[in-house]
Amino acid sequence: MKKKTVLFASCLLGTLAFSSCEKNLYDESKQPEKELQMKDLDIPADFQWKSTRVSETTVSSTIPTPTIVSFFLDEACSEEEKLATIPVYAETSSLPLSIPTYAKTLYAQYKNGSGAMIKATMPINPDGSFSLSINDNNNTTSRAVTRGHDIEDDIDYDKGEGVIYHPKNGWGTIMFEDQFPSLGDYDFNDFVVNYKVQFEVNKQKNKDYKSKLIVIGLRLKAVGGIFPYSPYLRLKEIKKSEAEVEMIDAKTGRPFKVNCVENKKNYLIIDCSELIKNLPKGESQYFNTERGALVSTNDLPEIIITIDLNVAKEVEEILEDDEFDLYLKRNDDGTEIHMNGIEPVGYKYPFKDSNLLPVYESDGDEEDDNYYFSKERLIWGLRVPGNVAHAIEKANFLKAYPGFRKWATSSGKNEQNWYGQGNADKSLLIYN
């Protein structure tokens, strides 16, 4: 009996030892944690990847003469955070502004009759609207305008006109992945462009703010892709026959020949490939994506495009993201990459690719919003209303911007300022 007890105990100890070893071998808590990748994210089906919205804004005044008012995103009313400088009239008007989704408050400045600067604070409603009412009887038409970027010099305030910025007076950023319809590595540095748009606006009584002159700045920040793409700009609310276009080098003022793309709908589509000519890559095969081959901000190519319309158009129509379509076209096979929800120009979209969301339903109806969405609802173009640092080669974008995951997986409800909230990993990013 004693022998059996000892034998049983020995077997039990052996079993426990084996189980312990087995647990050490297969316990997930003791294995290296898998690094979360963009492709692992669970993206809600309704997420549109928008970081701006066009406000439903009303402005009014009891003053019989126009009051020049400037609107800002920050309480300090800094020049780069300016959204508009416009005349407000003795009537209630609708003012279209491009506002980041994270913004909860806007600020306005104007001068009263004695020359003192008045600051107003305006909460933004959940639907993106806000209102400003000017009731100071001492207001005059004296200008409270400060100059911003050089391209604002094209706006003549002496005519009683104003300017509306998109996305603001400072730069916005568009980042692309270049392996469509494959997902790629998702470091979002394959093609990175800064953009800013300024609308000269004029308003007649009981009319909306309209623009006849549009000035667009584009600045190339990085090219980390492996395919030969060129940038193009399509303005869907403007026909080619409605505009005269000029393009210059922002640093030298040298004019470029403007080439427009012929298309069936006669959209104004401008070839912006001057941005990528003669890039100073140095020893790198890429442009400004590797620590050992950085490009100074002063050496980033920049162009200015001036569009003079034959007939003024409502600014709200042009401000919508879908209408300002900066896209890529591959030089060798014609592949186009657009922001999500925007149809290509001449490229035959791969409708039957099982890795993409279906654009056409089973009954043949077209789902326009499904263009350039993977079946996981991932995208190839990301637009941000700020001068966003881009990732170095092969960086994990989710590590570079920790708030990005919560923003994307919450359908844009959380971490709306993921790109500017101060917790980015600077070791994975390049700032220009």
Side-chain angles (χ1 to χ4, degrees), residues 232-294:
Y232 292 80
L233 176 62
R234 172 172 59 172
L235 297 172
K236 295 172 67 175
E237 287 299 319
I238 301 175
K239 302 296 184 182
K240 180 182 176 184
S241 58
E242 296 175 332
E244 294 182 9
V245 183
E246 296 180 354
M247 182 190 300
I248 65 170
D249 185 303
K251 296 180 173 62
T252 66
R254 180 169 64 93
F256 295 120
K257 180 182 177 182
V258 177
N259 296 312
C260 294
V261 177
E262 297 294 335
N263 59 97
K264 294 180 179 179
K265 296 186 177 181
N266 198 29
Y267 292 134
L268 178 61
I269 303 177
I270 304 168
D271 183 345
C272 301
S273 58
E274 290 293 343
L275 276 175
I276 62 171
K277 293 182 178 179
N278 305 313
L279 293 182
K281 295 182 181 180
E283 297 180 359
S284 173
Q285 62 175 319
Y286 305 116
F287 175 73
N288 202 32
T289 64
E290 297 176 299
R291 290 286 181 207
L294 297 183

Side-chain angles (χ1 to χ4, degrees), residues 120-352:
T121 300
M122 300 156 294
I124 300 175
N125 300 318
D127 63 357
S129 65
F130 72 92
S131 61
L132 173 68
S133 179
I134 299 173
N135 298 303
D136 185 353
N137 291 326
N138 292 322
N139 273 279
T140 69
T141 57
S142 57
R143 294 188 295 148
V145 179
T146 53
R147 288 298 187 188
H149 188 270
D150 288 343
I151 61 177
E152 188 176 339
D153 291 337
D154 291 307
I155 308 298
D156 185 355
Y157 291 99
D158 293 333
K159 297 177 182 178
E161 295 170 337
V163 59
I164 292 177
Y165 303 95
H166 175 60
K168 57 183 181 180
N169 194 24
W171 293 106
T173 306
I174 296 176
M175 298 175 277
F176 286 101
E177 279 292 312
D178 76 340
Q179 296 191 41
F180 179 83
S182 298
L183 289 178
D185 56 10
Y186 265 97
D187 54 13
F188 273 119
N189 71 3
D190 291 345
F191 206 101
V192 185
V193 182
N194 283 144
Y195 72 100
K196 62 168 63 175
V197 187
Q198 298 182 356
F199 300 90
E200 180 189 88
V201 294
N202 196 298
K203 182 181 180 302
Q204 298 176 351
K205 189 173 180 59
N206 298 322
K207 300 292 185 180
D208 292 325
Y209 287 93
K210 292 186 176 183
S211 178
K212 193 172 183 294
L213 180 68
I214 305 170
V215 185
I216 301 169
L218 298 177
R219 182 173 70 175
L220 183 68
K221 289 194 73 176
V223 179
I226 60 176
F227 298 118
Y229 279 95
S230 294
Y232 292 80
L233 176 62
R234 172 172 59 172
L235 297 172
K236 295 172 67 175
E237 287 299 319
I238 301 175
K239 302 296 184 182
K240 180 182 176 184
S241 58
E242 296 175 332
E244 294 182 9
V245 183
E246 296 180 354
M247 182 190 300
I248 65 170
D249 185 303
K251 296 180 173 62
T252 66
R254 180 169 64 93
F256 295 120
K257 180 182 177 182
V258 177
N259 296 312
C260 294
V261 177
E262 297 294 335
N263 59 97
K264 294 180 179 179
K265 296 186 177 181
N266 198 29
Y267 292 134
L268 178 61
I269 303 177
I270 304 168
D271 183 345
C272 301
S273 58
E274 290 293 343
L275 276 175
I276 62 171
K277 293 182 178 179
N278 305 313
L279 293 182
K281 295 182 181 180
E283 297 180 359
S284 173
Q285 62 175 319
Y286 305 116
F287 175 73
N288 202 32
T289 64
E290 297 176 299
R291 290 286 181 207
L294 297 183
V295 179
S296 70
T297 302
N298 290 335
D299 290 332
L300 297 178
E302 183 180 340
I303 62 175
I304 295 174
I305 301 170
T306 302
I307 301 173
D308 195 349
L309 299 175
N310 300 333
V311 178
K313 289 183 174 290
E314 292 184 14
V315 174
E316 185 174 3
E317 297 177 351
I318 308 172
L319 272 179
E320 296 287 352
D321 283 347
D322 292 353
E323 312 308 326
F324 184 85
D325 177 23
L326 184 68
Y327 69 95
L328 301 181
K329 180 180 178 182
R330 190 163 156 176
N331 301 330
D332 54 359
D333 68 2
T335 299
E336 296 177 23
I337 302 178
H338 295 254
M339 299 289 113
N340 56 286
I342 301 179
E343 77 284 0
V345 176
Y347 170 57
K348 188 176 181 181
Y349 193 80
F351 294 107
K352 296 182 180 180

